[in-house]
Amino acid sequence: MGKKGKRDKKGKGAEKTAAKMEKKVSRRAKKEEEDLEALIAEFQSLDAKKTQVIESSCPPPSPRLNGSLSAHPERDELILFGGEYFNGQKTYLYNDLYIYNIRKNSWSKLEIPNPPPRRCAHQAVVVPTAGGQLWIFGGEFASPSGEQFYHYKDLWVLHLSTKTWEQIKASGGPSGRSGHRMVACKRQLIIFGGFHESARDYIYYNDVYAFNLDSFTWSKLAPAGIGPAPRSGCQMTASPEGSVIIYGGYSKQRIKKDVDKGTLHTDMFLLKAEGVGKEEEKWTWSRLSPSGVKPPPRSGFSVAVGPGNRSLLFGGVQDEEEEESLEGDFFNDIYFYDMGKNRWFPAQLKGPKSEKKKRRRGKQAESEAAGDEEVEQRPPQGPLEIVKEVVAEDGTVMTIKQVISGPAEEKEKSESEEEEEEEGGALDQQVEPCPRSNAMVAVKHGILYVYGGMFEVGDRQFTLSDLHSIDLHKMGEWKVLVEMDPKAQEWLEESESDEEDDDVEGAEGGEEEEQSSEEESEDDEGEEQHPAVEPGENPEEYLSRTEQYWIKVARSHMGPEAKEKKVVKVAHAMAKTFHEDSV
């Protein structure tokens, strides 16, 4: 048998193995997802009580990661949807919708009836059709233990002009997943990759789907050529010509029982369409070999498209596996990829105008001009480590190790630091986003906005709620629009009492403050009201008093064929969730 025949046989074997794994994961995940479906349905019934659009001014959103931040196509606004928050014991999932007014530097909360269920790790894309549309696909709902997941495969559109949510029901779409990527490309939504995880198994994808924005139909693409290996969390960018570029990502595989090996991908691919606009488009994968300085390997980075036909990558984390621990180096750097030149280069901050004038006194003007013309001419010479400290409300001092790719810039700052301090114009080293992963980013009018995300120190996770911006045209300095609030940092040590409910308990609702007892006690005609929580009543007392009611609710969601033991567990989780939302 020739080499080609062997490759074909090997490829078919890999396809069969992947198909078997997907079937195995799907079978096990189905049982877990049945437990969470009832909770999701209960949350949706609470959302269904909202019958009118309400927009109100509000403080900045609570800390979160893995949400989506999108630029409004017609207004100077950013749209924040969903996300998650973990406080050491419980996971909170969100489906709230926030609007950030760029000119006023203010937030408002937009409550719209019948929104998508709470989720994180979804994808959101804005298109300019009919006054603007925000399209959302997939994502996940998780239990507090992080051991149970419900992966969505639904498609939603928010009509920005009429402020209405609409679920688009079309067959033939991708399977449930999170960590996938989605871009708008020539009147299509292109979806690539992602993963699906159950308590014991997982599978990563490298399939490609297209959703036609005119016919509202799905199609699974079958590109020619060798494409990327399965992965999640990659960089996916649509070029002006209608091609799609894939870079990096993360995947893991089981090398032996209970032992997984993670892979940080650094390869790059082009998915090119031929015959765009015709009935039968032909797609082809090809590998890209970019020049310049690529980002160091990482996962959890955020991506956006900047001006000048350049996509960008911000932040992320590079995990270092020790014998008994997992430590991560978090980043807050920016890397640009020039799609026209097929070249990577790191962003270099030039500092404010006053700083530039001081540098010109002791440096040649031609080097400054070269820096203005093309920032990639000064690549980093090696990593630089900076240590910062953040004090939480409980007095915990968190030491953050920051790895910066561009020591030339830091050296340049240190040389003029004394002069700056004398004149009172020193650059504050803290005026920049702290290193983080899984942040939400968007670009509007050439300005990059970075919101939230997380970093870890030891076993503790810091989830952020700050907002920064930087002009990508000037690359002068970061601006702090919303500072990080230490009071918002809560971390609870895991207790044994919580573990009993972890198996089935669904994630807490995303609107901790919003679902007050006053709102729950409103009389909605035609709807049965849940038993109200009495003043001073603890969760055990409330459950003892209302157990039969919640068993009845759980049974109505799960169906008569559900096992009694499972129904009771779900009922208890519902009661506990309702009690905590009401208190």
Side-chain angles (χ1 to χ4, degrees):
M1 181 183 292
K3 290 184 178 180
K4 185 177 185 301
K6 289 182 179 180
R7 284 200 301 268
D8 291 343
K9 188 173 182 180
K10 185 178 180 181
K12 290 179 180 178
E15 289 177 6
K16 288 183 179 179
T17 302
K20 287 177 65 178
M21 177 58 71
E22 183 168 3
K23 189 174 182 180
K24 182 180 178 183
V25 172
S26 178
R27 186 168 57 248
R28 289 182 176 176
K30 186 177 181 181
K31 295 180 181 179
E32 297 174 11
E33 292 184 346
E34 286 175 354
D35 295 336
L36 297 180
E37 279 179 349
L39 284 172
I40 294 171
E42 180 63 19
F43 285 134
Q44 284 187 284
S45 69
L46 296 175
D47 289 331
K49 294 180 180 180
K50 301 172 184 177
T51 58
Q52 57 183 337
V53 176
I54 301 175
E55 186 169 3
S56 56
S57 299
C58 66
S62 59
R64 65 190 64 197
L65 66 150
N66 286 329
S68 58
L69 187 66
S70 309
H72 195 295
E74 295 185 356
R75 300 180 182 179
D76 290 338
E77 294 176 347
L78 305 179
I79 306 164
L80 176 66
F81 174 77
E84 64 177 313
Y85 172 73
F86 179 63
N87 67 1
Q89 289 185 358
K90 296 179 181 178
T91 298
Y92 294 82
L93 275 295
Y94 304 101
N95 67 341
D96 41 15
L97 188 68
Y98 289 93
I99 305 296
Y100 175 72
N101 188 302
I102 294 174
R103 293 185 179 181
K104 297 180 180 179
N105 188 24
S106 62
W107 289 93
S108 61
K109 190 170 186 178
L110 189 56
E111 298 181 49
I112 300 176
N114 301 310
R118 292 159 170 81
R119 69 189 63 205
C120 66
H122 56 279
Q123 282 288 279
V125 168
V126 167
V127 297
T129 305
Q133 296 175 338
L134 177 71
W135 289 83
I136 288 174
F137 175 80
E140 70 183 39
F141 183 87
S143 66
S145 64
E147 295 179 357
Q148 286 184 296
F149 304 94
Y150 183 93
H151 294 269
Y152 295 104
K153 58 179 179 180
D154 51 355
L155 179 66
W156 295 76
V157 57
L158 172 62
H159 300 280
L160 298 174
S161 59
T162 59
K163 297 179 181 177
T164 54
W165 282 109
E166 179 185 3
Q167 183 176 3
I168 306 300
K169 296 183 179 180
S171 61
S175 57
R177 64 189 64 196
S178 57
H180 52 288
R181 290 296 178 258
M182 179 171 74
V183 295
C185 182
K186 301 292 186 182
R187 296 297 301 163
Q188 294 186 109
L189 300 178
I190 307 295
I191 292 176
F192 168 79
F195 71 96
H196 188 292
E197 186 170 10
S198 67
R200 290 178 291 176
D201 294 303
Y202 54 82
I203 184 171
Y204 284 78
Y205 300 105
N206 63 347
D207 48 4
V208 187
Y209 285 82
F211 179 78
N212 190 296
L213 292 171
D214 295 317
S215 63
F216 280 25
T217 56
W218 284 106
S219 60
K220 184 175 182 180
L221 306 184
I226 299 176
R231 65 192 65 193
S232 69
C234 62
Q235 182 181 35
M236 184 177 184
T237 308
S239 72
E241 297 77 28
S243 298
V244 175
I245 299 167
I246 300 290
Y247 167 76
Y250 174 83
S251 66
K252 62 181 180 180
Q253 61 182 17
R254 187 149 295 165
I255 54 179
K256 58 182 179 179
K257 187 176 181 180
D258 298 328
V259 178
D260 298 322
K261 180 181 180 182
T263 300
L264 293 176
H265 299 278
T266 59
D267 47 4
M268 203 161 183
F269 293 84
L270 176 70
L271 179 61
K272 189 174 182 180
E274 298 178 0
V276 176
K278 297 181 181 179
E279 291 186 5
E280 291 188 7
E281 292 181 348
K282 293 183 179 180
W283 295 81
T284 304
W285 282 115
S286 61
R287 184 181 289 268
L288 289 175
S289 298
S291 61
V293 181
K294 292 171 67 175
R298 64 187 71 187
S299 63
F301 52 78
S302 305
V303 299
V305 177
N309 199 25
R310 294 170 175 176
S311 61
L312 67 87
L313 176 155
F314 169 81
V317 58
Q318 183 179 34
D319 291 324
E320 297 177 357
E321 297 186 23
E322 304 293 339
E323 289 185 2
E324 297 182 356
S325 64
L326 186 68
E327 296 293 334
D329 287 334
F330 288 80
F331 300 92
N332 66 347
D333 50 1
I334 298 174
Y335 275 80
F336 289 106
Y337 172 71
D338 190 314
M339 289 183 271
K341 298 179 180 178
N342 188 28
R343 177 164 53 182
W344 281 102
F345 59 94
Q348 300 289 338
L349 298 185
K350 300 176 185 177
K353 292 182 179 179
S354 58
E355 174 69 6
K356 287 182 184 178
K357 291 179 181 178
K358 292 170 188 173
R359 290 177 185 169
R360 289 194 187 103
R361 296 175 187 171
K363 299 186 179 185
Q364 296 182 355
E366 57 190 48
S367 64
E368 179 68 21
D372 285 339
E373 182 179 350
E374 199 164 326
V375 294
E376 63 264 38
Q377 293 298 323
R378 294 187 291 150
Q381 298 171 358
L384 177 68
E385 206 172 273
I386 292 178
V387 177
K388 294 183 181 180
E389 291 185 347
V390 176
V391 182
E393 186 182 24
D394 60 5
T396 304
V397 179
M398 311 300 291
T399 303
I400 311 169
K401 184 170 69 172
Q402 174 181 351
V403 179
I404 295 180
S405 302
E409 179 65 19
E410 295 299 322
K411 181 179 179 181
E412 198 171 50
K413 288 182 184 177
S414 63
E415 290 174 355
S416 58
E417 189 173 26
E418 294 182 4
E419 181 183 357
E420 292 168 1
E421 290 178 354
E422 290 174 1
E423 297 187 17
L427 278 176
D428 187 354
Q429 194 175 21
Q430 295 181 358
V431 181
E432 60 183 1
C434 72
R436 66 190 68 194
S437 69
N438 305 94
M440 291 135 279
V441 302
V443 173
K444 182 71 175 180
H445 299 316
I447 297 176
L448 171 67
Y449 296 86
V450 176
Y451 177 81
M454 60 82 74
F455 64 88
E456 296 172 341
V457 178
D459 295 330
R460 179 167 179 171
Q461 175 177 309
F462 259 52
T463 306
L464 305 167
S465 59
D466 51 354
L467 178 64
H468 291 73
S469 70
I470 187 169
D471 191 323
L472 298 175
H473 293 289
K474 301 176 182 178
M475 290 305 297
E477 60 180 342
W478 284 98
K479 292 183 179 179
V480 183
L481 302 174
V482 177
E483 294 184 353
M484 182 175 70
D485 183 8
K487 294 181 180 180
Q489 298 301 323
E490 177 188 44
W491 189 255
L492 305 176
E493 297 299 331
E494 185 176 355
S495 62
E496 294 182 1
S497 60
D498 292 326
E499 294 177 359
E500 298 175 1
D501 298 320
D502 278 355
D503 291 339
V504 177
E505 182 182 358
E508 301 295 321
E511 302 169 8
E512 309 99 313
E513 305 293 337
E514 181 185 354
Q515 303 294 343
S516 64
S517 58
E518 180 181 350
E519 180 181 347
E520 298 298 337
S521 61
E522 292 178 357
D523 286 329
D524 290 354
E525 293 185 7
E527 290 189 19
E528 183 179 5
Q529 298 301 302
H530 301 314
V533 178
E534 295 180 355
E537 191 173 34
N538 63 37
E540 289 74 21
E541 293 170 339
Y542 177 75
L543 176 60
S544 176
R545 180 170 62 84
T546 63
E547 182 178 28
Q548 292 305 313
Y549 168 82
W550 287 106
I551 288 176
K552 180 181 177 182
V553 173
R555 173 70 69 185
S556 67
H557 286 302
M558 300 175 71
E561 68 280 356
K563 293 182 179 180
E564 186 64 25
K565 186 176 180 181
K566 184 174 291 187
V567 171
V568 172
K569 283 187 177 182
V570 171
H572 287 189
M574 284 181 170
K576 182 177 179 181
T577 298
F578 179 79
H579 179 278
E580 293 182 352
D581 280 347
S582 300
V583 174

